[in-house]
Amino acid sequence: MVEIPPFRNEVVKDFRDPADAAAMRSALDHVKGELGKHYPLVIDGRKFETERKIRSVNPADPDEVVGFTSAASKEQAGEAIEAAARAFRSWRQRTLPERAAYLFKAAELLRARRFEYDALLVYEVGKSWPEADGDVAEAIDFLEFYAREALRYAQTQPVVPIAGERNELVYIPLGVGAVIPPWNFAAAITIGMTAAAIVSGNTVVLKPSSDAAVIAAWFVDLLHEAGLPPGVVNFIPGSGSEIGDVIVTHPEIRFISFTGSKEVGLRINELAARPQPGQKWIKRVVAEMGGKDSIIVAADADLDAAVEGVALSAFGFQGQKCSACSRAIVDQGIYDEFVEKLGKRVASITVGDPRDPKNFMGPVVNEAALKSIARYIERGREEGRVIAGGKRSGDRGYFLEPTVIVDVDPKATIAQEEIFGPVLAVIKAKDFEDALAIANNTEFGLTGSLYTSDDAKIARARDDFFVGNLYFNRKSTGAMVGVHPFGGFNMSGTDSKAGGRDYLLLFMQAKTISRKV
Ligand code: NAP
């Protein structure tokens, strides 16, 4: 039997350590010299430059081009799917331990280049140093964790013995998958979804987010450097609205692994449900989508801890995490004190170019996001009282102030729709039961947190706070691979629990084999 080494999470860098800070500064300099390069499509291991390019820019300084990625046409997307189908014939025959070895190798290469990947995330999506490093550390964790999971599924699976037959159950792959990640965890989610699909024996077409195509190109190169055979991962950047439907509806596609917004996820789910001529299977859709995550602050909470947890959850990476707190639901008994303390805490948040580690918040990802969030803030002015932020910060780059809007009705637009930016709605609750009812009143169900010192409230929330990831007396962000398997309920998605023991099953099917003896 194959020995499974114990899994341990990567430790996130503490940039107060002068050696790590120096390594990060040097990586930022080095990666600056790499900016503006061209990245081709990769189909069947061969690289193709196309005339049409996706221009990836630094959101802190949009004149700075991070890279140009070739954009796949619909025909090229089809060719990539055909290449993946050809590669599947041999890749599926590799054993799970053989495939796991590629992930272990990729993890080793990524660990060696950790600071460069951190630096690229600072330039490409505007992450602060710790946020960038958390993203890359999580990517390494996914590679290590899913490799071990593959070894576990390679073991003999228990079936009930019966006289006269020898029975076994084995896990086999599905086929060709489309991997469609978002930009906000441009390392972790892209790498995690791809790794899970291929280690299970599938081949894929990877269509990265148009806002984070360069880091995906780096990763595809790294996989080939790790020795991955051609055609197992095919790289087809392109606008989702142009080539997304072609990929999703292609009859050779067996599954779609998507993380992104509710709107796109639901569209994919609907399109994938319709069988196409020549299609022999029901497509499987794994769709992890948006959130409208709440932190409840009960009257008996440690108020300082709650203020800190809410501020970090709402404004870390500019509120652009699916797990970000966008609603603080506060018991009326402590409401005024909470609001006052939160206002002061938020006033201390620094906003600016994330190359400078003194800035806690960087820019939002692009101009469309800036405008959409600004519209929500204007709406918020009608739906509550702005006590912090509310404006753009600086005139270059897509910076917004951390914004807190208080006295918001639980059914207001800014209390119901995912804003995906640094905007927090504060809602007053009559008591804990009222707070819990408010927390459950959206169509989402991703993360939630409760600050309380009362075990009875914890027990109540454990049963009835309807979210996929529930936390007590801590922030609602920062799920760790293996420790906090991640995924949400209702319109937050299919609850795939990325980084958990059930995840690889979504990329495999079980075959039962019986032999008369
Ligand atoms: P998005 O706009 O839905 O895009 C996600 C991916 O889908 C991108 O690669 C995008 O490509 C592609 N896409 C767009 N239209 C498509 C179509 N018609 N067919 C196929 N693919 C299409 O989301 P995002 O702005 O990148 O990410 C933010 C969202 O992700 C938020 O809602 C957030 O809550 C959610 N999220 C959820 C989780 C979770 O685990 N639940 C984790 C992270 C993020 P283009 O870039 O080319 O448009």
Side-chain angles (χ1 to χ4, degrees):
M1 204 203 294
V2 184
E3 196 60 25
I4 305 178
F7 171 79
R8 279 193 194 85
N9 296 98
E10 284 290 309
V11 177
V12 176
K13 302 281 180 205
D14 176 355
F15 289 107
R16 285 172 302 187
D17 177 339
D20 283 342
M24 186 64 185
R25 267 192 292 274
S26 143
L28 283 164
D29 286 347
H30 170 74
V31 172
K32 192 166 174 62
E34 303 278 303
L35 300 184
K37 282 193 172 170
H38 287 242
Y39 297 89
L41 315 180
V42 184
I43 300 175
D44 213 1
R46 281 174 294 145
K47 296 193 166 182
F48 298 91
E49 284 283 351
T50 61
E51 232 160 77
R52 288 182 61 209
K53 307 283 181 195
I54 296 169
R55 198 165 157 270
S56 183
V57 301
N58 178 352
D61 180 2
D63 292 335
E64 184 167 62
V65 178
V66 174
F68 297 93
T69 315
S70 284
S73 63
K74 291 178 182 162
E75 292 69 32
Q76 283 162 324
E79 285 164 25
I81 293 169
E82 298 299 335
R86 284 192 302 278
F88 179 62
R89 290 182 213 140
S90 51
W91 183 244
R92 73 181 180 87
Q93 286 170 337
R94 301 289 196 93
T95 65
L96 282 156
E98 278 171 351
R99 294 192 296 254
Y102 291 102
L103 266 56
F104 284 127
K105 179 70 188 164
E108 189 188 313
L109 291 174
L110 187 53
R111 209 176 273 116
R113 288 175 209 163
R114 177 148 169 183
F115 289 109
E116 280 106 274
Y117 273 74
D118 286 358
L120 181 57
L121 286 172
V122 172
Y123 288 115
E124 194 168 28
V125 291
K127 289 209 167 187
S128 67
W129 295 15
E131 292 289 349
D133 190 62
D135 193 341
V136 177
E138 189 178 349
I140 298 169
D141 282 350
F142 276 133
L143 290 164
E144 293 278 353
F145 186 83
Y146 293 144
R148 284 168 176 75
E149 282 295 288
L151 299 182
R152 187 166 69 79
Y153 282 109
Q155 293 174 346
T156 305
Q157 301 299 318
V159 285
V160 174
I162 194 168
E165 279 183 13
R166 196 161 55 230
N167 292 312
E168 58 177 323
L169 180 142
V170 293
Y171 288 105
I172 64 168
L174 295 172
V176 178
V179 174
I180 307 179
W183 50 267
N184 72 328
F185 280 85
I189 296 182
T190 307
I191 293 176
M193 294 203 308
T194 308
I198 63 173
V199 82
S200 307
N202 307 289
T203 55
V204 303
V205 291
L206 167 59
K207 193 220 83 64
S209 160
S210 298
D211 285 304
V214 171
I215 191 149
W218 278 27
F219 171 60
V220 172
D221 279 348
L222 181 142
L223 281 177
H224 290 115
E225 204 181 318
L228 194 77
V232 175
V233 173
N234 301 278
F235 183 54
I236 45 166
S239 153
S241 55
E242 283 175 31
I243 62 168
D245 290 2
V246 174
I247 298 170
V248 170
T249 56
H250 196 289
E252 287 274 11
I253 288 288
R254 174 69 177 82
F255 67 96
I256 297 116
S257 175
F258 168 82
T259 307
S261 62
K262 179 191 91 177
E263 290 68 25
V264 175
L266 290 181
R267 178 180 177 82
I268 288 175
N269 193 45
E270 193 176 337
L271 284 180
R274 262 182 244 152
Q276 302 295 324
Q279 181 183 323
K280 289 204 279 188
W281 41 64
I282 300 172
K283 291 182 184 177
R284 198 178 280 181
V285 176
V286 179
E288 294 311 307
M289 314 193 299
K292 189 72 191 171
D293 310 309
S294 302
I295 294 185
I296 298 178
V297 186
D300 49 42
D302 172 340
L303 214 51
D304 291 332
V307 165
E308 189 61 17
V310 167
L312 293 178
S313 306
F315 301 116
F317 189 37
Q318 297 76 268
Q320 302 171 116
K321 300 183 189 180
C322 54
S323 55
C325 168
S326 58
R327 320 194 313 158
I329 304 169
V330 185
D331 190 291
Q332 61 178 351
I334 49 155
Y335 185 84
D336 291 341
E337 197 184 347
F338 176 87
V339 166
E340 198 198 325
K341 286 188 170 202
L342 183 70
K344 283 193 185 131
R345 174 65 183 86
V346 173
S348 74
I349 290 177
T350 44
V351 184
D353 195 321
R355 269 174 286 203
D356 183 342
K358 80 170 191 317
N359 291 320
F360 175 81
M361 266 178 54
V364 298
V365 72
N366 58 31
E367 194 174 355
L370 183 81
K371 287 186 175 153
S372 154
I373 299 163
R375 275 196 300 275
Y376 275 113
I377 294 174
E378 287 321 303
R379 184 71 193 245
R381 289 185 201 285
E382 295 158 20
E383 295 184 330
R385 187 163 55 85
V386 176
I387 62 145
K391 295 191 299 296
R392 207 175 159 171
S393 174
D395 47 11
R396 268 159 64 92
Y398 308 128
F399 296 97
L400 277 166
E401 294 173 341
T403 299
V404 180
I405 304 174
V406 301
D407 304 343
V408 176
D409 185 89
K411 285 288 181 190
T413 306
I414 64 158
Q416 291 290 322
E417 294 181 12
E418 186 181 46
I419 300 173
F420 220 56
V423 182
L424 174 73
V426 184
I427 301 168
K428 189 188 285 185
K430 292 191 205 69
D431 52 26
F432 174 65
E433 281 304 319
D434 186 37
L436 193 55
I438 294 169
N440 285 332
N441 80 354
T442 76
E443 61 181 346
F444 297 104
L446 190 45
T447 73
S449 176
L450 164 65
Y451 280 84
T452 181
S453 52
D454 177 3
D455 281 347
K457 291 193 183 74
I458 288 184
R460 176 90 179 85
R462 215 172 174 282
D463 286 345
D464 286 330
F465 198 158
F466 197 66
V467 291
N469 285 68
L470 176 62
Y471 301 103
F472 294 117
N473 295 321
R474 56 150 284 180
K475 60 185 179 139
S476 64
T477 54
M480 289 167 74
V481 172
V483 180
H484 313 107
F486 192 81
F489 301 154
N490 292 345
M491 284 298 177
S492 290
T494 48
D495 189 40
S496 64
K497 288 293 183 272
R501 283 168 68 92
D502 304 323
Y503 194 66
L504 284 201
L505 278 181
L506 298 164
F507 300 88
M508 299 191 284
Q509 51 199 340
K511 181 170 181 176
T512 302
I513 303 156
S514 300
R515 180 172 179 173
K516 195 167 170 56
V517 288

